[in-house]
């Protein structure tokens, strides 16, 4: 697995460490280096000496072969037992997960994991004991290591999915997050270094690397390439240093991922939170707080924060107020208590993957006074569970009577937009146009306006198609979809040649249903190129059910019914529980006059989703049969 570099520009971490020994020593035991390791006795922390785990009628047994190989024997809910050899290891603490090879080349992350703190097995989703034919089962498409996870746990990774054989031939320079995963290929750097002793020539830009880590913007985007919730545009790892929005579509502050006020809800991996923060706005970079090679904080406790937030301040950030923050006069909690820790109030934590606490990197000031409007939690009552947000708001008013950090908050507008985007449209338009707000906040407001579907909003916000922030431009292009095609097309023509791929692809999608007989040559070329980028992006994720949903929708717009039906069929092959794709297949069959096929598809859909009311109603419409209102048999 740690084979010699397959790409000529990559050297592998061992070659880097030969010269950069201090950095290498710091990195070797880091969470980056141990993000993905071989299944050796030194790397495996779990008990593979006959230990067992049960969840309902699913049973897993962990043992060692006579040759010392780690084995997992899994009896699924259908009572079929399969034994797998552990392929490799994910992470090191507070939990460790194991990768199993279910087919040649196809790697899946097993849902039963080892708690390294308590020394026990536990299930990542104990409330969701899925059957093997469920798309969310550990063998399903959402847990495929090759395409869903590996790129952020490896260096120079390519998934190499073959849609014809539905198989993987994945490759990587090395497993684990190596030196070149962040700095980029090292051959140009090595060439310069080898010449330097005799030539004494000045170093090339960024010392020959593809990322200049001395530039905060580049460094942040490179960290964000993994530490963000996003949709990739390319297969595997893009060359480090590739602009973020040329390679990923960043998740906005959407319901289910973030609280209405932008606090973390689901696992969003930091970047979207950090973009909301005043620290990001003032130029703070990841390395101001984190040691890049150790992947640890640069200091213990409040010392991380007081390197800037103190009476001495920090000359790099002259706007800081020079006052005591690490003391009872600010914290209003006893020294040494949890309440006196900066992160307790300003970086509230949530637990993901069962036992892994992650801090919110929006560095927000507690706003319990917003709870009634946003429905979001606050740091105060997260600790003081016996108190109310009203109590917390009154307490903060007493402690900080002259605070500038009260009053209107964008979370109120986003909360209104989530509840009723039509009524909230004036507020959402105002937030979209507010240059003082973070781009991710403004883009989210535009996204909510898109849900309102009012063409006048698209006209009113046309200027945002030229906003400096690519997140805002991309959202503004998507908003134009609510406008009639003949009004939309002239507005977004220039977006087809935007310098950022995410904007160009959004423009191509928005032009899909624009029936334009002819256009100037440069626009026609731009449309063709942007459309090709979008197609290539979908082509790099053909093992995703979501991709085929998108392709099916595209085929419907283009009135290509066979292609649409085929795409939706692939969706339900990958994830039989995606009812919308079954519905579309049935409707296409009925619309094209093949009623027998429509009925057969509907029966297949109900066999996989027996309790779904949408499918039940469709069957009544097709056959006249009464609804089956009995609940499906329990799998427990």
């Amino acid at each position: 697995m740690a084979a010699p570099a397959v790409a000529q520009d990559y050297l592998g971490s061992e070659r880097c460490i030969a010269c950069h020994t201090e950095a290498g020593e710091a990195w070797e035991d880091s969470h980056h280096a141990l993000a993905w390791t071989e299944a050796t006795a030194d790397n495996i922390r779990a008990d593979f000496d006959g230990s067992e785990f049960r969840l309902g009628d699913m049973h897993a047994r962990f043992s060692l072969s006579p040759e010392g190989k780690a084995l997992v024997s899994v009896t699924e809910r259908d009572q079929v037992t399969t034994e797998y050899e552990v392929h490799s290891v994910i992470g090191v603490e507070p939990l460790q997960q194991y990768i199993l090879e279910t087919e040649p080349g196809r790697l899946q992350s097993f849902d039963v994991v080892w708690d390294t703190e308590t020394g026990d097995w536990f299930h990542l989703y104990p409330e969701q004991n899925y059957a093997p034919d469920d798309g969310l089962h550990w063998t399903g498409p959402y847990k495929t290591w090759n395409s869903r996870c590996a790129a952020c746990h490896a260096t120079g990774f390519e998934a190499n999915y073959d849609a014809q054989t539905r198989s993987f031939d994945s490759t990587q320079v090395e497993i684990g997050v190596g030196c070149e995963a962040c700095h980029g290929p090292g051959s140009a750097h090595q060439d310069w270094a080898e010449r330097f002793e005799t030539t004494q020539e000045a170093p090339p830009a960024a010392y020959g690397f593809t990322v200049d880590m001395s530039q905060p913007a580049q460094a942040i985007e490179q960290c964000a390439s993994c530490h963000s919730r996003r949709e990739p545009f390319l297969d595997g790892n893009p060359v480090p240093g590739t602009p973020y929005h040329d390679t990923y579509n960043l998740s906005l502050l959407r319901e289910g991922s973030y609280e209405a006020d932008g606090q973390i809800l689901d696992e969003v991996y930091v970047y979207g939170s950090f973009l909301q923060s005043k620290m990001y706005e003032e130029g703070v970079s990841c390395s101001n707080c984190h040691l890049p090679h150790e992947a640890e904080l640069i200091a213990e406790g409040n010392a991380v924060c007081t390197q800037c937030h103190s009476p001495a301040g920090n000359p790099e950030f002259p706007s800081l107020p020079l006052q005591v923050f690490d003391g009872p006069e600010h914290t209003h909690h006893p020294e040494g208590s949890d309440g006196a820790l900066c992160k307790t109030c300003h970086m509230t934590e949530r637990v993901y993957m069962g036992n892994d606490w992650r801090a919110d990197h929006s560095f927000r000031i507690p706003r319990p006074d917003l709870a009634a409007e946003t429905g979001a939690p606050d740091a105060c009552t997260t600790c003081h569970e016996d108190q109310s947000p009203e109590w917390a708001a009154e307490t903060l008013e007493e402690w900080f009577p002259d605070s500038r950090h009260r009053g209107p908050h964008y979370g109120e507008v986003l909360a209104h937009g989530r509840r009723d985007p039509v009524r909230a449209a004036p507020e959402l338009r105002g937030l979209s146009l507010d240059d003082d707000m973070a781009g991710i906040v403004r883009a989210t407001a535009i996204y909510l306006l898109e849900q309102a579907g009012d063409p006048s909003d698209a006209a009113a916000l046309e200027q945002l198609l030229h906003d400096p922030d690519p997140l805002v431009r991309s959202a503004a292009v998507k908003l134009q979809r609510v406008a009639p095609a003949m009004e939309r097309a002239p507005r977004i023509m220039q977006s087809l040649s935007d310098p950022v791929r995410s904007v160009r692809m959004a423009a191509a999608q928005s032009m899909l249903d624009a029936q334009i007989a002819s256009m100037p040559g440069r626009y026609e070329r731009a449309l063709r190129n942007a459309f090709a980028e979008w197609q290539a992006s979908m082509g790099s994720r053909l093992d995703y059910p979501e991709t085929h949903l998108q392709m099916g929708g595209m085929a419907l717009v283009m009135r290509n019914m066979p292609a649409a039906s085929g795409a939706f069929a692939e969706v339900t092959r990958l994830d039989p529980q995606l009812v919308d794709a079954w519905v579309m297949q049935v409707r296409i069959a009925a619309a094209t006059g093949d009623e027998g096929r429509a009925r057969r598809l509907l029966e297949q859909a109900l066999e996989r989703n027996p309790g779904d009311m949408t499918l039940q109603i469709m069957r009544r419409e097709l056959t006249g049969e009464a609804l089956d209102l009995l609940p499906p048999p329990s799998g427990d």
Side-chain angles (χ1 to χ4, degrees), residues 512-532:
L512 190 62
D513 64 341
Q515 302 296 323
I516 300 176
S518 64
M519 63 179 73
R522 64 191 180 98
Y523 290 127
E524 186 177 352
R525 288 190 295 273
L527 175 59
R528 191 182 303 116
N529 291 339
F531 199 81

Side-chain angles (χ1 to χ4, degrees), residues 394-531:
E394 291 172 4
T395 301
L396 289 178
E397 180 74 41
E398 292 174 10
W399 289 351
F400 306 101
D402 301 319
S403 174
R404 297 179 292 106
H405 303 294
R406 283 188 280 273
H409 188 275
Y410 60 80
E412 298 169 287
V413 178
L414 298 183
H416 297 163
R418 286 182 176 187
R419 290 195 288 268
D420 189 342
V422 175
R423 292 185 63 183
E427 294 176 280
L428 292 169
R429 284 195 295 270
L431 184 55
S432 302
L433 293 164
D434 189 345
D435 293 339
D436 291 331
M437 287 292 169
I440 193 171
V441 173
R442 298 171 62 208
T444 303
I446 300 169
Y447 158 75
L448 290 170
L449 279 172
E450 185 186 349
Q451 312 316 301
D454 187 344
S456 68
D457 290 329
L461 298 180
E462 182 180 355
Q463 69 192 75
L464 296 182
L465 293 168
H466 311 289
D467 193 87
D469 193 309
L471 276 175
V472 174
R473 294 202 304 278
S474 179
V477 168
K478 293 172 184 176
L479 175 63
Q480 294 301 320
R481 296 174 189 172
V482 306
M486 296 311 293
E487 294 178 19
R488 177 198 329 149
R491 292 175 189 161
I492 62 176
M493 283 292 184
Q494 289 187 347
S495 300
L496 292 167
S497 301
D498 193 276
V500 173
R501 187 196 303 260
S502 62
V503 181
R504 296 193 299 269
M505 285 173 47
Q509 294 172 46
S510 297
M511 289 290 288
L512 190 62
D513 64 341
Q515 302 296 323
I516 300 176
S518 64
M519 63 179 73
R522 64 191 180 98
Y523 290 127
E524 186 177 352
R525 288 190 295 273
L527 175 59
R528 191 182 303 116
N529 291 339
F531 199 81

Side-chain angles (χ1 to χ4, degrees), residues 39-41 43-52 61-65 68-73 84-89 96-100 110 112-114 121:
T40 64
N43 294 332
I44 293 176
R45 296 198 171 190
D47 177 6
F48 274 81
D49 190 16
S51 61
E52 298 183 354
R61 185 174 186 274
F62 304 88
S63 61
L64 295 173
S65 72
K69 299 287 188 181
L71 305 174
V72 183
S73 178
Y84 304 92
E85 183 178 311
V86 173
H87 175 275
S88 46
V89 180
Q96 192 171 72
Q97 195 170 9
Y98 302 97
I99 298 175
L100 309 182
F110 192 43
V112 180
V113 302
W114 182 255
W121 293 105

